[in-house]
Amino acid sequence: MKRWLAGLMMVLMLACSGQLWAEESVIESIQKKGVIRVGMSTFVPWAMRDKTGELIGFEIDVARELAKDMGVKVEFVPTNWSGIIPALLTGKFDVIIGGMGITPKRNLKVNFSDPYDFTGMSLVAHKKKAAGFSSLADFDKKNVTIAVRIGTTAEMAAKKFIPNATFKLFENESQALQELYLGRVHAVVASAPLPTFQALKFPEKLFVPMTEPFTKEPIGFAVKKGDFDALNYFNNWIRVKQADGFLASTKHHWFETRDWADQVK
């Protein structure tokens, strides 16, 4: 009798700890549905709308390649960046593939894959308002106003490296850039290469005060915590795509050329 009770207690303990009956992996769920739902937000050139309204960009190509290799369709779920992690946790999509920087704070809420890319933060500034500015120290003053997208690693980096500046936070980068075009802020902090692209697009108004990004951060897929099968699959997929050159060639197209520029507005 004691042995039976001891066995029952062990079963209950294993069940409570999640070791006996594991939840279905998102990989199994995707295969059953035949669709991978990808949470993302628009960041040039990571993900953006072309002139017909279709999504294009580095992340879009990565997600489509992943879906093709899994033998499923891809469904993109555009989401405001400030709410993208809560949306993942409530099951609105299966994975975030959206240029998300891996940070300790985010890692407390989600699991990250191995990095499939690295990026860094840069500044694009207004020629008149920031005339003569050439370093972070020039921007690190209370009378200097910086626009940045809320909830991003750009916001985190800006507040860390130019903490004395005054910040204006926006839900998307187009709003922040509009403030810059109108001369209402001195600069916008964003992931490279967006600042350089904007300066090339509007050379009469904008410039890049520093040639190199002032941070470097790893970028990963984000999934719910505890799904080790998903992490195993995504990590190995990333390794394969690094080895076969897909990630490098795709990044070259979107980040190092402007061959796609006539596709967008």
Side-chain angles (χ1 to χ4, degrees):
M1 186 68 175
K2 289 182 179 180
R3 288 182 180 178
W4 182 84
L5 286 173
L8 178 61
M9 289 297 294
M10 181 62 71
V11 168
L12 291 172
M13 288 172 63
L14 288 171
C16 291
S17 65
Q19 297 179 33
L20 189 64
W21 295 291
E23 289 185 15
E24 180 181 67
S25 168
V26 71
I27 299 299
E28 295 173 303
S29 174
I30 289 166
Q31 290 176 309
K32 286 180 181 178
K33 293 182 298 186
V35 176
I36 180 170
R37 298 170 301 156
V38 175
M40 42 70 65
S41 192
T42 52
F43 293 85
V44 178
W46 305 82
M48 49 200 163
R49 298 279 181 183
D50 67 13
K51 292 176 180 177
T52 68
E54 292 297 312
L55 286 165
I56 61 170
F58 176 66
E59 301 287 8
I60 304 304
D61 284 356
V62 169
R64 285 178 175 150
E65 182 77 1
L66 174 65
K68 184 184 78 173
D69 289 341
M70 295 182 75
V72 299
K73 296 179 180 179
V74 62
E75 176 187 333
F76 293 105
V77 186
T79 307
N80 286 337
W81 192 252
S82 58
I84 200 166
I85 287 179
L88 172 70
L89 300 181
T90 55
K92 291 186 177 179
F93 36 80
D94 304 309
V95 58
I96 297 172
I97 304 178
M100 179 167 278
I102 299 170
T103 69
K105 184 176 180 180
R106 287 172 176 165
N107 212 169
L108 291 172
K109 297 179 180 179
V110 299
N111 280 344
F112 282 105
S113 69
D114 291 342
Y116 64 99
D117 188 38
F118 288 84
T119 190
M121 293 302 147
S122 186
L123 278 160
V124 57
H126 193 275
K127 277 191 171 181
K128 288 185 178 179
K129 287 187 72 69
F133 287 22
S134 61
S135 69
L136 287 179
D138 292 325
F139 292 92
D140 192 25
K141 299 170 184 176
K142 191 172 183 180
N143 63 343
V144 173
T145 305
I146 305 295
V148 67
R149 189 172 188 175
I150 191 170
T152 62
T153 49
E155 180 191 356
M156 295 164 58
K159 290 181 176 178
K160 178 179 179 180
F161 288 94
I162 43 177
N164 296 310
T166 299
F167 297 99
K168 294 182 75 172
L169 305 180
F170 296 91
E171 190 60 50
N172 59 65
E173 282 173 341
S174 62
Q175 293 172 323
L177 290 167
Q178 184 66 17
E179 289 290 287
L180 183 63
Y181 303 148
L182 295 174
R184 294 173 180 166
V185 298
H186 289 77
V188 168
V189 173
S191 296
L194 177 62
T196 298
F197 287 170
Q198 292 299 313
L200 290 172
K201 189 174 181 181
F202 302 101
E204 72 286 353
K205 283 190 176 183
L206 310 179
F207 76 107
V208 176
M210 297 172 292
T211 56
E212 295 295 327
F214 61 89
T215 67
K216 183 178 181 180
E217 62 184 82
I219 305 297
F221 297 173
V223 295
K224 287 183 181 180
K225 296 185 76 65
D227 194 340
F228 301 108
D229 284 345
L231 282 182
N232 176 69
Y233 183 85
F234 292 143
N235 286 340
N236 285 317
W237 184 86
I238 289 166
R239 293 186 186 105
V240 169
K241 294 303 169 179
Q242 288 172 334
D244 70 12
F246 169 80
L247 288 172
S249 62
T250 304
K251 181 167 185 179
H252 172 76
H253 173 72
W254 292 107
F255 285 77
E256 298 168 22
T257 80
R258 293 282 288 170
D259 296 344
W260 47 268
D262 61 349
Q263 296 177 252
V264 298
K265 297 178 181 179

